[in-house]
Amino acid sequence: RGIPYAKPPIGELRFRRARPIEPWSTPLLATESGSPCTQLRNADQGVIGSENCLWLDVVVPRDPASHSAVDTSARRPVVVFFHGGSNAFGSAANRLYSSQYLATALDAVVVAVDYRLGVSGGLSLSYGTQPSSFPADRFDTNTQLSDAVAALTWVHDNAEVFGGDPHRIVTMGQSSGGGLVASLTALPQLEQIIAGVIMLSPPLSMVHHPDLAALWANRLFDRCEDPVSVDSQKIGALSGALLQENVDNLEYGGPFAPVIDGDLLPRHPLEITPGAPGVAGKVPLLIGTVSHEYYFMRLRKVTTATQRRHAQRFAESIGPDAADVFRHMYHNGRSRTECAQLFGDSLFWAPSIALAEQWSPSSVWMYRLDASTPFFKALGLGATHTWDLPLLFGRYDAGMASKAFTFGGLNRLKETTAAMQRRWRHFVHDGTPGFAPYADDRSTHIFGDDGETTVNDPRRDMREAWASVDFANIG
């Protein structure tokens, strides 16, 4: 727990790309996870965490036949996980990602990565109109993305020490962590490191073009002329303020994201062409969503008319084609359910379909999680965003699962966990989850209340409607 993989990005290294960690000469006590990245947790807790947040947890299945906790000859696949949280909050230290159950179920080394968030990691301030007091090269682009590269490089270099196979590294991310993983597939320097990719509900359009990066950089400078010198508490507060500004304005691209800088990130991860740099289309991809991604929106204490206005404004921020889809396929948000579907489909489902359509046909598998609990169904949530995490990681005492079984349903959901973990295990070991690839009539594997099934081209009308939207060229 808590192994540093890069130098602490503090002092002169704030807003700089990750630098290699200096080796230590005495034993490192790695018994506790590190601190989460500085972030505004909520109004009650305020700013928490530290900018010294570039660390990772390594979890290895214990081999009963070995006298050591780590069998260095095991050559297990390595799953490197990047958590979600709108690129603004969250941490690998979350109990949900403790990984001991997942590592055992997958028979794999599982690495959970902590990385920079918010203002520290998700802004590329060199695109803004920065104060003249700063040298032109004071701000690096893509600091968060550089953290992920540093972590994967560290894992590749050290995998064998933990009984891992450096040639079988699978990157996995959920929500914004899935979007981060998508950007990693476009990086040429990782072509010899990433052997497979798993994305859970990835917001694949959470990538900035330079003009959008400039807009958010300038919004930061409007609030703080000297972000280099302020304390860590201020950095966390600024992250929370910019995130709230985006919530208020309902802008699709979000404030914090990788930027296509032509340097570290050469292209949008949704634009895959033959010979493009990176591993996109060249390695196996398992990608999917939950069936009710944004249904938690239905519970917000606002009127249906207000939700309708929010949904319309959100669709318009994507572009005129998305606004047309909202009018015709979601009936202008006449119900809270249709408003929620618009958000979930445009953020997660439709971009995932767009990526699957471009990936190598025989090496992409699409899934969907439908299974839920009586309590969530009574609330009108179903299988909502992040519900896949406690099931996949087998942590029924963390995240959404801590209250999900109020009306029962645990035994049935344990069967869903076993099914998902079995498919993930096949994928990380064999490069296939064992069900039909997406190319076979747009096959989608469903983890439902009554077990597993495969459906060809589910929601075809919606897929065809969203096909007109270019998710790679928004903002």
Side-chain angles (χ1 to χ4, degrees):
R1 305 286 184 186
I3 304 173
Y5 62 82
K7 287 184 178 180
I10 58 179
E12 289 300 313
L13 294 186
R14 180 187 279 178
F15 304 120
R16 296 292 194 187
R17 289 182 183 173
R19 306 289 175 86
I21 188 71
E22 295 179 359
W24 49 86
S25 58
T26 57
L28 174 74
L29 187 62
T31 58
E32 295 183 1
S33 300
S35 173
C37 178
T38 302
Q39 57 193 267
L40 180 63
R41 176 60 60 90
N42 54 46
D44 293 330
Q45 290 182 275
V47 174
I48 65 166
S50 167
E51 291 181 81
N52 184 6
C53 60
L54 304 188
W55 55 267
L56 47 79
D57 287 348
V58 182
V59 180
V60 181
R62 184 180 295 275
D63 188 344
S66 174
H67 294 295
S68 171
V70 177
D71 179 2
T72 56
S73 65
R75 305 288 291 187
R76 290 183 171 96
V78 183
V79 178
V80 182
F81 177 73
F82 295 90
H83 68 82
S86 301
N87 283 329
F89 52 89
S91 171
N94 190 321
R95 183 173 59 178
L96 188 58
Y97 313 133
S98 59
S99 301
Q100 66 268 38
Y101 306 122
L102 183 63
T104 300
L106 302 187
D107 190 30
V109 178
V110 178
V111 180
V113 180
D114 211 73
Y115 52 92
R116 277 176 284 184
L117 303 169
V119 167
S120 298
L123 294 184
S124 290
L125 296 178
S126 58
Y127 286 100
T129 306
Q130 59 198 52
S132 58
S133 56
F134 295 123
D137 61 350
R138 177 58 186 85
F139 302 104
D140 291 341
T141 60
N142 281 320
T143 53
Q144 180 192 85
L145 196 59
S146 78
D147 296 345
V149 172
L152 283 168
T153 302
W154 188 96
V155 170
H156 179 266
D157 292 346
N158 293 279
E160 292 180 345
V161 178
F162 298 102
D165 186 344
H167 303 294
R168 289 196 292 169
I169 294 176
V170 176
T171 54
M172 180 171 75
Q174 188 270 342
S175 196
S176 59
L180 177 59
V181 166
S183 290
L184 292 172
T185 68
L187 306 188
Q189 60 265 55
L190 296 180
E191 289 180 355
Q192 302 304 314
I193 293 181
I194 296 176
V197 182
I198 303 173
M199 302 180 197
L200 298 81
S201 301
L204 296 170
S205 294
M206 194 178 282
V207 177
H208 288 171
H209 292 273
D211 56 346
L212 188 56
L215 182 148
W216 283 107
N218 286 329
R219 287 180 176 177
L220 184 279
F221 285 129
D222 287 343
R223 293 175 178 271
C224 178
E225 290 187 355
D226 186 7
V228 171
S229 300
V230 297
D231 63 24
S232 186
Q233 287 281 314
K234 180 65 173 179
I235 291 291
L238 287 168
S239 297
L242 290 183
L243 187 64
Q244 186 58 49
E245 184 172 345
N246 186 67
V247 170
D248 294 339
N249 294 331
L250 292 169
E251 296 168 309
Y252 184 72
F256 310 122
V259 60
I260 304 169
D261 57 5
D263 176 21
L264 187 56
L265 184 59
R267 62 170 178 81
H268 198 292
L270 278 173
E271 292 183 321
I272 304 175
T273 57
V279 301
K282 304 170 188 175
V283 299
L285 166 65
L286 176 62
I287 185 171
T289 59
V290 296
S291 56
H292 302 85
E293 286 281 4
Y294 229 71
Y295 272 40
F296 58 83
M297 175 182 174
R298 300 169 68 204
L299 303 183
R300 289 177 177 163
K301 296 179 180 180
V302 296
T303 65
T304 299
T306 298
Q307 291 208 353
R308 185 179 302 120
R309 287 195 299 271
H310 289 172
Q312 180 177 357
R313 189 163 62 185
F314 190 70
E316 290 171 350
S317 76
I318 302 173
D321 287 342
D324 286 341
V325 174
F326 177 61
R327 282 191 293 271
H328 299 300
M329 303 305 296
Y330 301 87
H331 307 100
N332 274 326
R334 62 187 175 187
S335 69
R336 300 173 81 90
T337 296
E338 286 167 324
C339 292
Q341 287 175 335
L342 177 278
F343 276 84
D345 288 351
S346 62
L347 282 169
F348 308 110
W349 177 74
S352 294
I353 294 293
L355 183 64
E357 298 276 357
Q358 296 184 70
W359 209 268
S360 179
S362 61
S363 60
V364 55
W365 291 265
M366 177 74 69
Y367 74 89
R368 192 179 75 206
L369 173 63
D370 290 5
S372 188
T373 69
F375 181 58
F376 278 177
K377 290 177 181 179
L379 291 176
L381 291 176
T384 194
H385 194 61
T386 76
W387 175 232
D388 44 0
L389 291 173
L391 299 188
L392 179 61
F393 280 83
R395 291 303 310 239
Y396 311 117
D397 59 345
M400 296 189 70
S402 59
K403 296 182 180 179
F405 303 103
T406 302
F407 296 161
L410 177 58
N411 289 335
R412 180 170 50 77
L413 266 298
K414 285 184 176 179
E415 296 176 4
T416 304
T417 288
M420 292 178 68
Q421 290 178 340
R422 182 172 62 251
R423 298 298 185 179
W424 262 245
R425 176 170 177 153
H426 282 307
F427 183 82
V428 300
H429 282 268
D430 306 323
T432 169
F435 52 79
Y438 181 73
D440 291 359
D441 301 315
R442 296 188 171 88
S443 294
T444 301
H445 195 72
I446 309 295
F447 298 97
D449 287 327
D450 299 319
E452 300 175 79
T453 186
T454 300
V455 178
N456 292 336
D457 201 9
R459 305 182 73 209
R460 176 180 176 180
D461 56 340
M462 287 295 185
R463 175 185 60 78
E464 292 177 341
W466 282 106
S468 64
V469 178
D470 182 3
F471 286 103
N473 289 289
I474 297 170

